[in-house]
Amino acid sequence: MARVEMIRATANSGDMDLRCDAPPLAAPPPPPAQGMSLTPELVALTIRPEPDLGPEPGWTELTPPQLDALAAQYDAECGDDPLWVFAYGSLIWKPDFDAEEHLRASAWGWHRSFCLKMHRWRGSPQQLGLKMALERGGRCDGVIYRVRALDRLAQIRRMLEREIRYHENRAMVRWITVRTERGPIRVLVFWAGPKGERILSRLPLRDVAHILARACGPAGSCAEYLFNTVLHLRDFGIQDRNLWALQDMVAEEIRALNE
């Protein structure tokens, strides 16, 4: 049985490899933590070929000049301060920018939530997928990366092209303040405070697990996304209680589907 890749660097032709001037962020991921039910073998059962159907119907891609303008806006808003980016999901294990430093950080007043509907990427029209975003309330522990200052504007544009890309996603970028060992730091975060028809908010974990165990798209499966996130959070000493419970439920769902 094929082993699940820890980081699928080529999942999307638009993704770029991480180049980092700082020392490596972590050693290669160790085997799953003792007691972790979701394993590479179970995740492999959720991977299947799915066609790339392009963007969601009705979405409008940002033009290069529009991306340039957005990058210039966030660069100006950052001013003379270093630019830090808050990672709480896939950016932890696949950041698409050059980082010079990283720190653990806590975002108070926000929590991880599988609430963004996907019919592309890690989902399909036949099987809805869910993507993580930050919703209001609680606390989210993650990692902040200090973006390389030498070509900061170009780095911001790379991030926007990967994370935003479409007009419909522009409202999901914001500045928040996180707590770190050095005190409060203002950071840029993606997919925070989502609203509208794309949101499935406050789903019970059991319902989320049902979806994650079944959803797969051209970029991989939702179970794989969950597995990588839990595993790499652990590398930073972070264990999200809800994600830990969720990986156990997803593992149970996958086993039941393959009995």
Side-chain angles (χ1 to χ4, degrees):
M1 183 177 295
R3 186 176 186 277
V4 175
E5 297 175 7
M6 293 302 174
I7 299 179
R8 302 169 74 90
T10 59
N12 185 326
S13 59
D15 288 347
M16 303 177 186
D17 294 332
L18 170 68
R19 298 185 300 276
C20 187
D21 299 327
L25 297 182
Q34 183 177 5
M36 185 172 174
S37 302
L38 191 58
T39 65
E41 292 74 22
L42 286 174
V43 172
L45 296 173
T46 70
I47 305 295
R48 58 184 178 269
E50 291 286 350
D52 187 348
L53 301 176
E56 296 280 354
W59 282 22
T60 306
E61 192 166 7
L62 293 165
T63 65
Q66 289 170 332
L67 283 170
D68 291 341
L70 271 181
Q73 173 190 325
Y74 290 118
D75 185 59
E77 289 174 358
C78 187
D80 296 330
D81 295 330
L83 174 60
W84 292 88
V85 176
F86 183 59
Y88 58 91
S90 62
L91 279 182
I92 292 178
W93 44 274
K94 194 171 64 175
D96 189 20
F97 51 85
D98 300 328
E100 297 180 310
E101 185 182 9
H102 68 278
L103 294 169
R104 275 192 54 170
S106 298
W108 290 77
W110 298 93
H111 67 278
R112 291 179 183 83
S113 174
F114 276 96
C115 63
L116 277 170
K117 294 188 288 187
M118 291 188 297
H119 296 101
R120 304 289 193 273
W121 190 238
R122 292 185 185 273
S124 70
Q126 294 73 37
Q127 177 55 66
L128 169 73
L130 292 174
K131 173 184 172 67
M132 268 195 296
L134 290 184
E135 290 199 282
R136 294 285 187 179
R139 166 183 164 177
C140 178
D141 292 327
V143 182
I144 59 172
Y145 294 92
R146 181 164 57 85
V147 176
R148 189 170 68 193
L150 180 65
D151 56 347
R152 188 174 77 178
L153 182 59
Q155 300 290 333
I156 296 172
R157 194 189 186 285
R158 278 173 59 185
M159 284 187 279
L160 292 174
E161 188 169 8
R162 167 184 156 166
E163 293 291 329
I164 301 304
R165 189 173 293 188
Y166 299 98
H167 281 280
E168 290 73 17
N169 297 334
R170 290 180 57 179
M172 298 194 197
V173 188
R174 68 177 65 226
W175 297 95
I176 65 172
T177 299
V178 297
R179 302 183 189 181
T180 75
E181 61 184 11
R182 300 182 191 174
I185 296 179
R186 183 171 177 251
V187 301
L188 195 65
V189 64
F190 296 96
W191 305 100
K195 298 178 182 178
E197 295 181 355
R198 297 165 58 190
I199 307 306
L200 282 177
S201 190
R202 302 188 183 280
L203 280 180
L205 283 184
R206 181 58 69 180
D207 293 349
V208 174
H210 180 91
I211 294 172
L212 298 188
R214 291 162 174 78
C216 186
S221 72
C222 285
E224 178 189 35
Y225 174 45
L226 173 64
F227 173 83
N228 278 329
T229 302
V230 173
L231 198 64
H232 288 78
L233 283 172
R234 191 201 64 172
D235 290 341
F236 286 99
I238 300 169
Q239 183 167 308
D240 183 294
R241 181 177 60 184
N242 285 336
L243 290 190
W244 189 262
L246 194 55
Q247 64 84 28
D248 191 57
M249 295 178 189
V250 170
E252 181 183 331
E253 291 273 351
I254 296 170
R255 284 193 293 267
L257 286 170
N258 289 276
E259 286 180 348

